[in-house]
Amino acid sequence: MFADRARIIIRSGKGGDGHVSFRRELYVPNGGPDGGDGGKGGDVIFEVDKGLNTLVDFRYKRKFHAQDGEEGGKKRCHGKNGRDIVLKVPEGTVIMEAGSRKVIADMSEGNSRQVVLRGGQGGNGNMHYATATMQVPKYAQPGKPSQELEIVLELKVIADVGLVGFPNVGKSTLLSRVTNADPKIANYHFTTIHPNLGVVDLEGCKGFVIADIPGLIEGASEGVGLGHEFLRHIERTRVLIHLVDAAGTEGRDPVEDIYKINKELESYNAEIAARPQVIAANKIDAIYVEEGEPDPIEKLKNEFESQGIRVFPVSAVSGKGVKELLYYVQELLDTLPQEKMVFEQEFFPEDELMIEELPFTVTQDEENEHLFIVEGPRIEKMLGYTNLDSEKGFVFFQKFLKDSGILEELESAGILEGDTVQMYGLQFDYYK
């Protein structure tokens, strides 16, 4: 079974809590704090497996999570770190945040391993908090929370050349002739349900990778049929070969076919439609021209070569004209930049998940009009990530209050200077 798209939920491990304990030894009745640190939570890692060519492993299991870190122990014992989870994907997989569809990682062009979600850091045990004035600290730092994210995985094949055309024009036949690929070939619509890749070896040239993109139909750019599933595989290609049935064996006009395919490409992604194109007029051995009728090859040449698009008459069955087509495609590739298309990162989980749009509430205490309570998962997450004992953490906390709209909400609720703000176990006086 082939699958080139999956939607899953991933979660890193929570950091283990720091431990609160004190030395209790013979003749040392009042020993100092010896609570150990919590272990780090496991990361969520994606890794390329070149033996894979499908995302089917993610079709039936949707949730993946790394192991939580263990709590610290007494006698300064450090909690065990949580195990990472490594998810194997085919080369060419693009990882995107599900809501915004912003790119998190493109697993191609040397990017074979990437940490997508980092586990929470373990909390400090109470052994870190002993001071000259506080020799018996009865508190420890909680482990930082895990991160959770819903993502979309999309496999976008890595090929130099995309072979496009309506169903039954001979794409699979041509691919099997010019490469070592072994596609299934039959005469019905959507014979090819996933891209086939093959390597073209040309004497005196370095050759190139070609992908047989499944047959398009009108409305493909709007998702009709399997349109979006197929069109995404064209995104990395640098040259497109339009294969048309020049003999019109199914009653279609090859000139109209070219315009219809270009219209779908334009609707899906104008930049793809602007890439160099070549027309392969296939099935020339089946062409029969009655006296007085126009030659379909000449008709194609008159229509498209004036637009700078070369037309090559070929027969995928006999191989006639195929070599000339391939050498021309190689010449085109040699004139284009060699860099492969890589989707740049747009979504940074570590930054965006810290101050994500989670809800919070601001309420005035019913019994004490000078007390304002701020609660909600957004506040809990922020407090879990922030060490308010450090100067940097306190500056971040102040910025968070302003940027997240909490100060504005407090002022709307009627808070005055000197009133108290309570956030779970934290209290502070409000001053502008």
Side-chain angles (χ1 to χ4, degrees):
M1 179 182 292
F2 180 83
D4 62 1
R5 188 172 185 274
R7 191 181 184 105
I8 62 173
I9 296 171
I10 55 175
R11 181 178 72 79
S12 62
K14 175 189 176 298
D17 295 337
H19 190 68
V20 176
S21 62
F22 300 89
R23 284 168 48 209
R24 292 291 181 264
E25 300 174 14
L26 190 62
Y27 308 119
V28 188
N30 296 312
D34 69 350
D37 301 340
K40 176 186 173 297
D43 298 334
V44 179
I45 302 169
F46 282 82
E47 192 172 271
V48 170
D49 183 340
K50 294 196 174 181
L52 295 175
N53 59 7
T54 170
L55 295 169
V56 71
D57 291 345
F58 300 98
R59 174 160 287 186
Y60 302 110
K61 182 180 178 182
R62 290 199 65 236
K63 294 185 177 181
F64 301 85
H65 59 83
Q67 189 179 42
D68 294 340
E70 288 186 355
E71 182 184 352
K74 59 179 64 176
K75 297 183 180 179
R76 297 176 175 258
C77 287
H78 193 291
K80 186 178 179 181
N81 292 340
R83 286 193 305 273
D84 299 333
I85 183 170
V86 180
L87 303 177
K88 301 291 184 73
V89 294
E91 188 173 18
T93 300
V94 179
I95 305 167
M96 295 177 286
E97 194 275 324
S100 64
R101 293 189 64 82
K102 289 182 178 179
V103 174
I104 300 171
D106 184 350
M107 307 304 292
S108 66
E109 288 305 296
N111 183 27
S112 60
R113 182 180 172 89
Q114 181 154 337
V115 178
V116 172
L117 289 184
R118 296 193 179 276
Q121 290 296 323
N124 289 331
N126 70 334
M127 65 179 179
H128 292 279
Y129 298 110
T131 65
T133 56
M134 173 59 72
Q135 297 181 9
V136 190
K138 296 181 180 178
Y139 53 84
Q141 185 184 34
K144 291 186 178 179
S146 60
Q147 295 181 325
E148 185 172 288
L149 189 63
E150 186 172 18
I151 60 173
V152 170
L153 305 176
E154 283 190 357
L155 178 57
K156 300 176 189 287
V157 298
I158 301 173
D160 301 297
V161 178
L163 189 59
V164 298
F166 276 80
N168 298 332
V169 295
K171 295 189 303 300
S172 296
T173 304
L174 180 63
L175 187 76
S176 65
R177 171 165 287 279
V178 303
T179 75
N180 55 358
D182 186 25
K184 294 179 181 177
I185 300 171
N187 187 32
Y188 50 87
H189 292 315
F190 292 112
T191 301
T192 306
I193 60 170
H194 62 85
N196 289 302
L197 286 175
V199 178
V200 175
D201 292 317
L202 294 173
E203 189 175 344
C205 302
K206 61 184 178 182
F208 52 86
V209 179
I210 187 170
D212 160 24
I213 308 299
L216 299 177
I217 60 176
E218 286 185 85
S221 59
E222 299 168 4
V224 175
L226 299 176
H228 279 163
E229 305 303 311
F230 296 161
L231 282 165
R232 74 167 60 97
H233 293 296
I234 305 174
E235 293 185 27
R236 294 192 198 269
T237 58
R238 296 188 290 150
V239 172
L240 297 177
I241 298 177
H242 289 255
L243 198 67
V244 291
D245 178 1
T249 57
E250 294 201 345
R252 290 201 309 269
D253 182 341
V255 172
E256 286 185 11
D257 279 2
I258 295 292
Y259 281 121
K260 285 175 180 177
I261 289 172
N262 276 336
K263 182 181 177 183
E264 295 304 326
L265 294 176
E266 176 78 27
S267 299
Y268 180 73
N269 186 326
E271 191 272 328
I272 294 174
R275 291 176 193 171
Q277 301 179 9
V278 183
I279 294 172
N282 193 28
K283 302 187 182 182
I284 57 172
D285 42 6
I287 292 177
Y288 174 74
V289 182
E290 293 186 4
E291 191 174 344
E293 290 292 318
D295 180 1
I297 301 298
E298 290 303 313
K299 186 179 176 184
L300 281 164
K301 287 186 175 183
N302 292 337
E303 183 70 27
F304 294 104
E305 292 201 338
S306 61
Q307 301 176 34
I309 303 174
R310 285 286 301 275
V311 177
F312 288 84
V314 301
S315 170
V317 173
S318 69
K320 186 176 180 180
V322 169
K323 184 180 289 186
E324 291 82 355
L325 167 69
L326 297 179
Y327 273 103
Y328 177 75
V329 170
Q330 181 68 69
E331 287 177 19
L332 267 182
L333 289 170
D334 290 342
T335 65
L336 297 173
Q338 295 301 308
E339 297 84 10
K340 303 283 186 180
M341 181 176 181
V342 176
F343 295 90
E344 297 296 330
Q345 185 170 7
E346 304 167 312
F347 187 93
F348 298 84
E350 210 159 333
D351 296 334
E352 305 209 29
L353 292 179
M354 281 199 44
I355 313 180
E356 57 188 348
E357 294 301 323
L358 294 173
F360 66 88
T361 59
V362 175
T363 55
Q364 190 172 15
D365 189 75
E366 294 180 358
E367 298 179 359
N368 181 358
E369 63 178 12
H370 297 292
L371 175 63
F372 291 78
I373 301 168
V374 184
E375 294 178 312
R378 191 171 187 184
I379 311 303
E380 285 186 290
K381 178 164 281 193
M382 182 276 299
L383 291 175
Y385 271 107
T386 309
N387 178 12
L388 296 178
D389 295 329
S390 72
E391 182 180 353
K392 184 178 178 182
F394 188 71
V395 170
F396 172 80
F397 174 67
Q398 290 179 308
K399 186 174 185 297
F400 170 81
L401 293 179
K402 181 179 179 181
D403 293 347
S404 60
I406 293 173
L407 291 181
E408 187 177 340
E409 286 289 326
L410 285 167
E411 290 171 2
S412 297
I415 196 168
L416 301 174
E417 288 200 11
D419 287 348
T420 301
V421 178
Q422 179 177 303
M423 295 182 178
Y424 297 97
L426 173 70
Q427 282 194 350
F428 60 92
D429 293 334
Y430 172 78
Y431 291 99
K432 282 192 175 182

